[in-house]
């Protein structure tokens, strides 16, 4: 995943970060810019194609991203009574936990920091955290829901990371996700009437996997049919910088990206084209390219020619 | 699947099962994209299984299998200014099947 980013030709610093670094809001922005540059130069930022995948599906999966030694340490820490309940809502993420404790170590791993910086920028705001512990033999899962509430932002989003420190076989449940559902306007558990979707995605994955979610993704915890407790650490982050061109330098207009953005999910039915339009709108914001289009889905709607072939007085 | 008998509470004889299907578009022959089922014979919600396919490929297939359609969501035009906003799934079909208590 990082080879592509590393191979990309270096591009100018995004204008908004440069402006921030040059003046208000001051030293904090300069520090953020330095952090973003370091991740860029080390090849840890997401590529434009990965960002397109996130815009289209609302989820990116990184199997076994975290090494086994850290996974083991995390599991043992929880078993020993450890709690991730540090920080408070709205705090700067950098100060939400004691330095050197497990959560900041996880988030500071270059590959994790690169994901975060690519999507919500460096030094995001801490929203909330949850350590989900599903007991062995709890067969009943949750209803489908989206977290928080209706969120009509079109040019910004929050990020949610799900970290699974142990192997997650099918019988252990995990989280069920609905790829592509993130741009739908629903309130929390108002979607409980649905039980199954064609194309739903169970998080069956190896230890150390991180799933990266748009805040609007529809999801639910599944039951746990094993004799072992299931762990999942989730954290929500808010952007503190404009989410424009935060990904690795690279071409954001390409046939491949058009293909990613226009590929619909099987559960969307006739509404697939509406989702494509909403994705293009988001892509325009994230790339800073208000003219971007894919297969003319926006160009058709925006075609309102003003030039006349007749004089203003009308046809002769 | 657990099938704990539920007392009929003075309404013996017939039990109503419900099946909700969401279709790809508004033709009953179009493919099922989501589904839910409710069975009063079960205590609580159904087990958290991992199905690989809908119970029927189309609503018509469910009708052929004896389900009765009791509601089909209306076609509602988008509100001005919200033409591209998506939310709940459209094309919702509610079906029922009644059966004698002694069947299961």
């Amino acid at each position: 995943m990082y080879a592509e980013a590393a191979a990309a030709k270096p591009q100018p610093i995004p204008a908004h970060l440069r402006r921030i670094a040059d003046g208000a809001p001051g030293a904090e922005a300069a520090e953020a810019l330095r952090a973003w540059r370091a991740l860029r130069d080390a090849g840890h930022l997401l590529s434009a194609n990965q960002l397109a995948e996130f815009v289209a599906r609302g989820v990116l999966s990184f199997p076994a991203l975290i090494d086994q030694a850290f996974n083991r340490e995390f599991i043992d820490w929880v078993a020993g009574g450890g709690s991730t309940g540090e920080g408070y809502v709205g705090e700067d993420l950098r100060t939400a936990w004691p330095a050197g404790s497990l959560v900041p170590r996880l988030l500071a791993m270059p590959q994790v920091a690169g994901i975060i910086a690519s999507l919500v920028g460096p030094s995001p705001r801490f929203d909330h955290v949850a350590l989900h512990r599903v007991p062995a033999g709890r067969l009943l899962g949750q209803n489908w829901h989206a977290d928080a509430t209706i969120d009509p932002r079109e040019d910004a989003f929050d990020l949610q990371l799900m970290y699974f420190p142990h192997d997650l076989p099918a019988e252990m449940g995990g989280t069920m996700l609905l790829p592509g559902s993130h741009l739908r306007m629903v309130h929390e558990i108002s979607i409980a009437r649905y039980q199954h979707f064609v194309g739903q995605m169970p998080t069956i994955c190896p230890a150390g996997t991180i799933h990266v979610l748009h805040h609007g993704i529809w999801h639910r915890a599944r039951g746990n049919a094993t004799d072992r407790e299931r762990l999942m650490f989730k954290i929500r982050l808010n952007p503190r910088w404009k989410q424009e061109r935060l990904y690795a330098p690279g071409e954001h207009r390409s046939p491949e990206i058009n293909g990613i953005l226009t590929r619909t999910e099987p559960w969307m039915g006739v509404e697939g084209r509406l989702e494509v339009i909403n994705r293009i709108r988001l892509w325009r914001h994230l790339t800073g390219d208000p003219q971007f289009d894919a297969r003319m889905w926006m160009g058709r709607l925006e075609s309102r020619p003003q030039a006349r072939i007749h004089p203003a007085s009308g046809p002769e | 699947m657990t099938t704990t008998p539920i007392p009929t509470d003075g309404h013996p004889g017939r039990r109503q099962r419900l099946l909700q299907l969401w279709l790809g578009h508004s033709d009953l022959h179009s493919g099922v994209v989501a589904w839910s089922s409710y069975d009063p014979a079960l205590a609580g919600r159904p087990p958290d299984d991992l199905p690989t396919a809908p119970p029927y490929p189309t609503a018509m297939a469910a009708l052929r299998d004896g389900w009765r359609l009791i509601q089909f969501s209306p076609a509602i035009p988008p509100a001005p200014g919200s033409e591209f906003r998506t939310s709940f799934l459209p094309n919702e079909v509610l079906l029922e099947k009644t059966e004698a208590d002694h069947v299961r």
Side-chain angles (χ1 to χ4, degrees), chain A residues 55 180-185 214 216 275 278-279 282, chain B residues 85-86:
Chain A
V55 166
S181 59
H182 53 300
L183 302 180
R184 299 203 156 224
M185 295 297 138
H214 183 287
E275 297 292 355
N278 289 324
R279 294 168 178 178
L282 180 56
Chain B
R85 180 155 287 185
T86 55

Side-chain angles (χ1 to χ4, degrees), chain A residues 271-288:
Chain A
E271 292 193 313
R273 290 176 179 177
L274 300 178
E275 297 292 355
V276 170
I277 286 169
N278 289 324
R279 294 168 178 178
I280 292 172
R281 287 172 158 176
L282 180 56
W283 190 246
R284 287 179 169 187
H285 288 296
L286 301 185
T287 59

